[in-house]
Amino acid sequence: MLERFRIIGFPMQSRSLAFLLMTVASGVQASGTESAAVVTEHTRASLITDAQQDVVAGGEITVGLQLEHQPGWHSYWKNPGDSGLPTTMRWTLPTGVVAGPIAWPTPAQFRDGPLLNFGYGGAVLLPVRITIPADFKADVLEIGVRARWLVCAEICIAEAGEFALRLPAGKAVAQERLPATNDAFARTQARFPIDLGGIVPARVTGTQVVFSMAQLPEAYRGKDLELYPETGGVVDHSEPVLQAWAERSWTARLPVSPQRSESPEFLDIVVKLPGEPSGSRIRLQIEGWSSP
């Protein structure tokens, strides 16, 4: 089956957006470990299954959309930053089978002039947990997903694909898997941020959200960190984050977006050293918001 769609809009900043008609293929690989791939000039995409899992009633498995970008191209995190769009997935599943949210690995930063965006170059796997009901009786678990992603370099191009897997129920599918799928999930596990736990108080002072904390990893001490707010539209990513260390205490001043439309009480942020694959997640509790 072929899917055809047209790009109808995208935040126009300094990028040149390609308005064009894209055609991508979809397919099924029966009882396999990886769906048929959608291959464009910019990405190779497929749906794969995790290793060491049984497809059984009342259990859970993990599948993931794997995107392999051509050099110079990238897709986006759940908060894409100053421009861009996050990858989305729409699932087709048997009655009672439920797909959870995307478990987003820690992204990297991509600068485009004054803009700062968050996303993934190279290869990335976006895992999703699939929950199987206790009354599931089929011999095969059929999983389908329609995914959309935006890839950017000098231009941005919307791409999409439909993917399907047929996994035998009642036995481990690991015996049928390609070793590459095992490696992909292992590498992704090492890219999830470590939750530091607890809540860090923060306060709006003028046009900044200010907070201090002393629970960061020892390797961070005295160094400038990259910050990735998990909620978009709150922080002005194009402005620098002012940082200072006093012994073990780190203070950061986040510039508030002038286009802010929300005043969240809680804001999760991933902080990491440049080049670090995972980073640490902290939760801010913010007081002192004025009306947007």
Side-chain angles (χ1 to χ4, degrees), residues 31-208:
S31 300
T33 63
E34 182 175 5
S35 72
V38 170
V39 181
T40 72
E41 295 181 7
H42 319 105
T43 56
R44 180 189 186 277
S46 61
L47 187 68
I48 67 174
T49 52
D50 196 358
Q52 311 306 320
Q53 298 179 127
D54 292 334
V55 178
V56 295
E60 293 183 335
I61 64 169
T62 302
V63 301
L65 179 69
Q66 184 166 251
L67 296 174
E68 300 172 61
H69 305 85
Q70 288 294 325
W73 292 84
H74 64 270
S75 57
Y76 290 91
W77 189 44
K78 61 181 174 180
N79 172 14
D82 289 323
S83 63
L85 294 170
T87 297
T88 61
M89 302 182 198
R90 191 174 71 185
W91 297 89
T92 301
L93 300 166
T95 300
V97 178
V98 177
I102 297 173
W104 297 89
T106 299
Q109 295 184 349
F110 296 89
R111 289 199 173 272
D112 180 16
L115 306 180
L116 179 62
N117 299 321
F118 307 137
Y120 309 101
V124 66
L125 178 65
L126 303 179
V128 172
R129 178 72 69 178
I130 304 293
T131 302
I132 305 168
D135 59 354
F136 184 79
K137 294 182 173 60
D139 294 330
V140 174
L141 174 61
E142 298 189 4
I143 298 174
V145 66
R146 184 187 186 195
R148 292 177 178 267
W149 59 95
L150 187 73
V151 289
C152 291
E154 294 302 318
I155 61 173
C156 291
I157 298 176
E159 298 183 342
E162 292 187 357
F163 309 90
L165 289 170
R166 301 184 75 246
L167 305 178
K171 66 174 182 177
V173 295
Q175 297 175 352
E176 304 178 16
R177 295 178 188 242
L178 301 174
T181 64
N182 301 358
D183 295 342
F185 280 92
R187 290 193 301 269
T188 299
Q189 188 65 38
R191 295 178 64 178
F192 290 135
I194 298 170
D195 198 328
L196 296 182
I199 296 176
V200 177
R203 184 163 188 85
V204 179
T205 302
T207 59
Q208 298 175 329

Side-chain angles (χ1 to χ4, degrees), residues 134-280:
D135 59 354
F136 184 79
K137 294 182 173 60
D139 294 330
V140 174
L141 174 61
E142 298 189 4
I143 298 174
V145 66
R146 184 187 186 195
R148 292 177 178 267
W149 59 95
L150 187 73
V151 289
C152 291
E154 294 302 318
I155 61 173
C156 291
I157 298 176
E159 298 183 342
E162 292 187 357
F163 309 90
L165 289 170
R166 301 184 75 246
L167 305 178
K171 66 174 182 177
V173 295
Q175 297 175 352
E176 304 178 16
R177 295 178 188 242
L178 301 174
T181 64
N182 301 358
D183 295 342
F185 280 92
R187 290 193 301 269
T188 299
Q189 188 65 38
R191 295 178 64 178
F192 290 135
I194 298 170
D195 198 328
L196 296 182
I199 296 176
V200 177
R203 184 163 188 85
V204 179
T205 302
T207 59
Q208 298 175 329
V209 174
V210 183
F211 65 95
S212 299
M213 61 180 303
Q215 294 80 33
L216 291 173
E218 186 70 23
Y220 290 3
R221 193 197 294 191
K223 299 176 182 177
D224 282 343
L225 305 178
E226 296 178 349
L227 286 85
Y228 300 84
E230 295 193 3
T231 301
V234 177
V235 175
D236 186 350
H237 307 297
S238 64
E239 293 295 324
V241 176
L242 302 180
Q243 306 178 44
W245 286 88
E247 297 297 332
R248 295 180 178 272
S249 180
W250 176 67
T251 299
R253 297 176 177 271
L254 307 180
V256 175
S257 172
Q259 284 80 44
R260 174 179 61 89
S261 59
E262 299 184 24
S263 303
E265 179 183 3
F266 296 98
L267 179 64
D268 291 332
I269 295 179
V270 177
V271 297
K272 72 183 190 73
L273 294 170
E276 184 183 6
S278 57
S280 302

